[in-house]
Amino acid sequence: MSSINVTISRLDRLYLAKVADQAERYQDVIAQLKDIINTHGAQLTIDERNLLSIAYKNLTATLRSSWRTIDNLQKKEALSSSRQQVKLMRLQKEFIEKDIDALCRDVVDLLENTLMPAANDGEEKVFYSKMRGDYYRYLAELTRLNSKEELAKTSLDAYKFAYKHALVTLPPTHPTRLGLALNFAVYYHDILRSPERACHLAKHAFDEAVSAASESPSMAANLEDSLMILQLMRDDLILWHSEIARD
């Protein structure tokens, strides 16, 4: 079988990344975008940046879902499983944890050493800082070692930096600012076990976005991209308020 020599431009690599994304070949998406970074520098376009984020997010989501499935199975069948079966389920969880750890550390390394140093102030810096907070949060969720507290603190610091920067550079209705607020609130709920603080942050961001949209017709017209995030935020607020009420 003969190979075809083709000179691949930046636009070609972006196209290949989009094709790979449609085919759910997320490792290929990441490989194409890393080639763009290595060849053309760390300043990605919005399309490139979004594809990179989606690819890592989908890979991580699949692994985290697999881990939760086995964890739930382990709890459900704890009394009926043999010791050997319990050990095997624990072993499978550890395999997945190693995959999650490797993937998260790969994206964190790319962010810290390449993308963030080259990021412009404003939306780009907020976007990458939010990603950094997300992936340290995923690491903190799974580790049972002494490093859990350190990972959680690094995640918190990343979210705080991103949120402070978002407050002064992005409007309340901006989807990146809202997505950051949502994930930051999830951090307070899932990592710090504080539904009260999660509700406070999410409600503040939700109310600010609704208020800004009602006061500015131009913001309201561009709110479509943010509506899904606002819906997720409202759903989480209802859930977290019910948790507080039960306690």
Side-chain angles (χ1 to χ4, degrees):
M1 183 176 179
S2 62
S3 60
I4 302 174
N5 293 323
V6 180
T7 301
I8 299 180
S9 68
R10 181 172 188 154
L11 285 176
D12 291 333
R13 292 200 181 280
L14 175 59
Y15 176 75
L16 286 171
K18 288 180 177 180
V19 170
D21 176 65
Q22 290 297 310
E24 298 184 3
R25 297 270 299 179
Y26 300 117
Q27 291 286 8
D28 292 346
V29 175
I30 293 169
Q32 292 296 339
L33 291 164
K34 283 184 174 180
D35 281 343
I36 288 176
I37 293 168
N38 292 333
T39 305
H40 301 282
Q43 205 79 48
L44 296 179
T45 66
I46 292 175
D47 279 349
E48 292 164 351
R49 191 178 68 203
N50 287 339
L51 277 169
L52 185 72
S53 173
I54 290 168
Y56 275 116
K57 180 179 179 180
N58 283 325
L59 286 173
T60 310
T62 299
L63 289 169
R64 293 172 74 218
S65 176
S66 297
W67 187 93
R68 284 192 294 267
T69 297
I70 298 173
D71 187 60
N72 289 334
L73 184 65
Q74 194 175 12
K75 293 172 182 175
K76 181 181 177 182
E77 301 187 1
L79 297 177
S80 60
S81 300
S82 67
R83 288 186 179 180
Q84 179 69 1
Q85 289 172 331
V86 170
K87 287 180 181 178
L88 290 172
M89 284 190 282
R90 187 182 302 127
L91 183 64
Q92 184 59 44
K93 279 173 62 179
E94 289 175 359
F95 286 147
I96 299 171
E97 287 168 10
K98 288 179 181 178
D99 288 342
I100 294 174
D101 184 87
L103 186 62
C104 289
R105 292 190 186 279
D106 178 55
V107 65
V108 163
D109 178 70
L110 185 63
L111 288 165
E112 293 179 341
N113 296 318
T114 305
L115 297 175
M116 292 180 67
N120 293 316
D121 287 343
E123 198 263 344
E124 187 177 14
K125 185 171 287 187
V126 173
F127 186 94
Y128 288 141
S129 298
K130 170 192 169 293
M131 277 186 72
R132 183 169 178 263
D134 290 341
Y135 286 93
Y136 274 112
R137 171 164 60 89
Y138 301 151
L139 287 168
E141 279 177 352
L142 291 182
T143 185
R144 294 181 294 274
L145 305 174
N146 293 333
S147 59
K148 182 181 181 72
E149 185 175 335
E150 181 182 343
L151 292 167
K153 184 181 183 306
T154 304
S155 177
L156 178 60
D157 290 342
Y159 281 134
K160 283 183 176 179
F161 175 84
Y163 201 64
K164 287 179 181 178
H165 197 65
L167 290 177
V168 296
T169 60
L170 300 177
T173 56
H174 196 290
T176 299
R177 176 168 163 174
L178 285 171
L180 166 62
L182 176 60
N183 286 18
F184 197 0
V186 169
Y187 171 91
Y188 278 124
H189 179 270
D190 291 358
I191 303 298
L192 297 189
R193 306 296 182 190
S194 177
E196 295 84 2
R197 294 172 78 177
C199 283
H200 177 78
L201 176 59
K203 188 175 187 308
H204 178 74
F206 186 95
D207 290 346
E208 275 199 324
V210 172
S211 176
S214 64
E215 292 173 4
S216 172
S218 61
M219 280 191 181
N222 297 320
L223 195 59
E224 184 176 351
D225 290 341
S226 303
L227 286 177
M228 185 173 70
I229 302 172
L230 287 170
Q231 181 63 54
L232 290 171
M233 199 176 282
R234 188 176 71 172
D235 292 345
D236 280 346
L237 279 168
I238 293 170
L239 180 64
W240 297 337
H241 276 302
S242 67
E243 289 179 12
I244 295 171
R246 284 199 303 269
D247 294 341

